[in-house]
PDB file of all heavy atoms in Angstrom:
ATOM      1  N   PHE A 307     -44.286  15.390 -17.539  1.00 90.00           N
ATOM      2  CA  PHE A 307     -45.280  15.783 -16.557  1.00 90.00           C
ATOM      3  C   PHE A 307     -45.989  17.072 -16.976  1.00 90.00           C
ATOM      4  O   PHE A 307     -47.213  17.203 -16.807  1.00 90.00           O
ATOM      5  CB  PHE A 307     -44.606  15.969 -15.193  1.00 90.00           C
ATOM      6  CG  PHE A 307     -45.565  16.244 -14.093  1.00 90.00           C
ATOM      7  CD1 PHE A 307     -46.235  15.227 -13.430  1.00 90.00           C
ATOM      8  CD2 PHE A 307     -45.830  17.555 -13.685  1.00 90.00           C
ATOM      9  CE1 PHE A 307     -47.115  15.482 -12.401  1.00 90.00           C
ATOM     10  CE2 PHE A 307     -46.710  17.828 -12.656  1.00 90.00           C
ATOM     11  CZ  PHE A 307     -47.370  16.785 -12.038  1.00 90.00           C
ATOM     12  N   PHE A 308     -45.250  18.004 -17.548  1.00 92.00           N
ATOM     13  CA  PHE A 308     -45.832  19.279 -17.944  1.00 92.00           C
ATOM     14  C   PHE A 308     -46.456  19.207 -19.342  1.00 92.00           C
ATOM     15  O   PHE A 308     -47.239  20.107 -19.688  1.00 92.00           O
ATOM     16  CB  PHE A 308     -44.785  20.378 -17.919  1.00 92.00           C
ATOM     17  CG  PHE A 308     -44.445  20.872 -16.539  1.00 92.00           C
ATOM     18  CD1 PHE A 308     -43.320  20.418 -15.890  1.00 92.00           C
ATOM     19  CD2 PHE A 308     -45.268  21.758 -15.884  1.00 92.00           C
ATOM     20  CE1 PHE A 308     -42.998  20.844 -14.603  1.00 92.00           C
ATOM     21  CE2 PHE A 308     -44.969  22.222 -14.597  1.00 92.00           C
ATOM     22  CZ  PHE A 308     -43.836  21.743 -13.965  1.00 92.00           C
ATOM     23  N   ALA A 309     -46.161  18.190 -20.125  1.00 92.00           N
ATOM     24  CA  ALA A 309     -46.687  18.067 -21.472  1.00 92.00           C
ATOM     25  C   ALA A 309     -48.192  17.758 -21.432  1.00 92.00           C
ATOM     26  O   ALA A 309     -48.679  17.152 -20.482  1.00 92.00           O
ATOM     27  CB  ALA A 309     -45.950  16.973 -22.241  1.00 92.00           C
ATOM     28  N   THR A 310     -48.926  18.140 -22.456  1.00 92.00           N
ATOM     29  CA  THR A 310     -50.344  17.796 -22.609  1.00 92.00           C
ATOM     30  C   THR A 310     -50.585  17.232 -24.002  1.00 92.00           C
ATOM     31  O   THR A 310     -49.943  17.674 -24.989  1.00 92.00           O
ATOM     32  CB  THR A 310     -51.278  18.981 -22.373  1.00 92.00           C
ATOM     33  OG1 THR A 310     -51.151  19.929 -23.422  1.00 92.00           O
ATOM     34  CG2 THR A 310     -51.007  19.647 -21.032  1.00 92.00           C
ATOM     35  N   LYS A 311     -51.530  16.307 -24.106  1.00 91.00           N
ATOM     36  CA  LYS A 311     -51.869  15.684 -25.383  1.00 91.00           C
ATOM     37  C   LYS A 311     -53.390  15.802 -25.587  1.00 91.00           C
ATOM     38  O   LYS A 311     -54.157  15.783 -24.641  1.00 91.00           O
ATOM     39  CB  LYS A 311     -51.457  14.207 -25.416  1.00 91.00           C
ATOM     40  CG  LYS A 311     -49.962  13.999 -25.300  1.00 91.00           C
ATOM     41  CD  LYS A 311     -49.598  12.523 -25.316  1.00 91.00           C
ATOM     42  CE  LYS A 311     -48.082  12.315 -25.194  1.00 91.00           C
ATOM     43  NZ  LYS A 311     -47.712  10.889 -25.214  1.00 91.00           N
ATOM     44  N   LEU A 312     -53.766  15.895 -26.853  1.00 92.00           N
ATOM     45  CA  LEU A 312     -55.169  16.032 -27.183  1.00 92.00           C
ATOM     46  C   LEU A 312     -55.505  15.260 -28.455  1.00 92.00           C
ATOM     47  O   LEU A 312     -54.889  15.441 -29.487  1.00 92.00           O
ATOM     48  CB  LEU A 312     -55.521  17.514 -27.382  1.00 92.00           C
ATOM     49  CG  LEU A 312     -56.998  17.855 -27.570  1.00 92.00           C
ATOM     50  CD1 LEU A 312     -57.844  17.382 -26.429  1.00 92.00           C
ATOM     51  CD2 LEU A 312     -57.133  19.380 -27.746  1.00 92.00           C
ATOM     52  N   SER A 313     -56.448  14.353 -28.353  1.00 92.00           N
ATOM     53  CA  SER A 313     -56.918  13.575 -29.489  1.00 92.00           C
ATOM     54  C   SER A 313     -58.301  13.009 -29.141  1.00 92.00           C
ATOM     55  O   SER A 313     -58.763  13.052 -27.998  1.00 92.00           O
ATOM     56  CB  SER A 313     -55.973  12.418 -29.799  1.00 92.00           C
ATOM     57  OG  SER A 313     -55.990  11.451 -28.776  1.00 92.00           O
ATOM     58  N   ARG A 314     -58.938  12.431 -30.149  1.00 92.00           N
ATOM     59  CA  ARG A 314     -60.208  11.785 -29.906  1.00 92.00           C
ATOM     60  C   ARG A 314     -60.052  10.643 -28.897  1.00 92.00           C
ATOM     61  O   ARG A 314     -60.886  10.482 -27.971  1.00 92.00           O
ATOM     62  CB  ARG A 314     -60.759  11.208 -31.227  1.00 92.00           C
ATOM     63  CG  ARG A 314     -62.168  10.646 -31.122  1.00 92.00           C
ATOM     64  CD  ARG A 314     -62.635  10.120 -32.490  1.00 92.00           C
ATOM     65  NE  ARG A 314     -61.871   8.929 -32.841  1.00 92.00           N
ATOM     66  CZ  ARG A 314     -61.262   8.789 -34.000  1.00 92.00           C
ATOM     67  NH1 ARG A 314     -61.335   9.717 -34.920  1.00 92.00           N
ATOM     68  NH2 ARG A 314     -60.578   7.686 -34.283  1.00 92.00           N
ATOM     69  N   ALA A 315     -59.003   9.873 -29.022  1.00 90.00           N
ATOM     70  CA  ALA A 315     -58.765   8.766 -28.112  1.00 90.00           C
ATOM     71  C   ALA A 315     -58.577   9.250 -26.665  1.00 90.00           C
ATOM     72  O   ALA A 315     -59.024   8.591 -25.739  1.00 90.00           O
ATOM     73  CB  ALA A 315     -57.571   7.951 -28.585  1.00 90.00           C
ATOM     74  N   VAL A 316     -57.864  10.377 -26.503  1.00 92.00           N
ATOM     75  CA  VAL A 316     -57.642  10.933 -25.153  1.00 92.00           C
ATOM     76  C   VAL A 316     -58.985  11.218 -24.491  1.00 92.00           C
ATOM     77  O   VAL A 316     -59.238  10.863 -23.348  1.00 92.00           O
ATOM     78  CB  VAL A 316     -56.773  12.179 -25.213  1.00 92.00           C
ATOM     79  CG1 VAL A 316     -56.769  12.904 -23.863  1.00 92.00           C
ATOM     80  CG2 VAL A 316     -55.342  11.828 -25.617  1.00 92.00           C
ATOM     81  N   LEU A 317     -59.884  11.892 -25.218  1.00 94.00           N
ATOM     82  CA  LEU A 317     -61.185  12.239 -24.661  1.00 94.00           C
ATOM     83  C   LEU A 317     -62.034  10.980 -24.416  1.00 94.00           C
ATOM     84  O   LEU A 317     -62.746  10.899 -23.404  1.00 94.00           O
ATOM     85  CB  LEU A 317     -61.930  13.191 -25.584  1.00 94.00           C
ATOM     86  CG  LEU A 317     -61.298  14.589 -25.756  1.00 94.00           C
ATOM     87  CD1 LEU A 317     -62.306  15.516 -26.471  1.00 94.00           C
ATOM     88  CD2 LEU A 317     -60.852  15.186 -24.467  1.00 94.00           C
ATOM     89  N   MET A 318     -61.965   9.995 -25.308  1.00 93.00           N
ATOM     90  CA  MET A 318     -62.763   8.782 -25.150  1.00 93.00           C
ATOM     91  C   MET A 318     -62.307   7.982 -23.944  1.00 93.00           C
ATOM     92  O   MET A 318     -63.126   7.334 -23.270  1.00 93.00           O
ATOM     93  CB  MET A 318     -62.718   7.947 -26.409  1.00 93.00           C
ATOM     94  CG  MET A 318     -63.442   8.579 -27.575  1.00 93.00           C
ATOM     95  SD  MET A 318     -63.187   7.759 -29.167  1.00 93.00           S
ATOM     96  CE  MET A 318     -63.991   6.205 -28.869  1.00 93.00           C
ATOM     97  N   ARG A 319     -61.011   8.044 -23.617  1.00 91.00           N
ATOM     98  CA  ARG A 319     -60.544   7.376 -22.399  1.00 91.00           C
ATOM     99  C   ARG A 319     -60.997   8.121 -21.144  1.00 91.00           C
ATOM    100  O   ARG A 319     -60.951   7.576 -20.027  1.00 91.00           O
ATOM    101  CB  ARG A 319     -59.030   7.244 -22.420  1.00 91.00           C
ATOM    102  CG  ARG A 319     -58.519   6.169 -23.387  1.00 91.00           C
ATOM    103  CD  ARG A 319     -57.085   5.787 -23.060  1.00 91.00           C
ATOM    104  NE  ARG A 319     -56.153   6.862 -23.382  1.00 91.00           N
ATOM    105  CZ  ARG A 319     -55.531   7.012 -24.538  1.00 91.00           C
ATOM    106  NH1 ARG A 319     -55.734   6.148 -25.505  1.00 91.00           N
ATOM    107  NH2 ARG A 319     -54.686   8.010 -24.717  1.00 91.00           N
TER     108      ARG A 319
END
Side-chain angles (χ1 to χ4, degrees):
F307 185 84
F308 284 100
T310 69
K311 297 179 181 180
L312 186 58
S313 68
R314 187 180 68 232
V316 169
L317 295 191
M318 291 171 66
R319 286 198 291 268

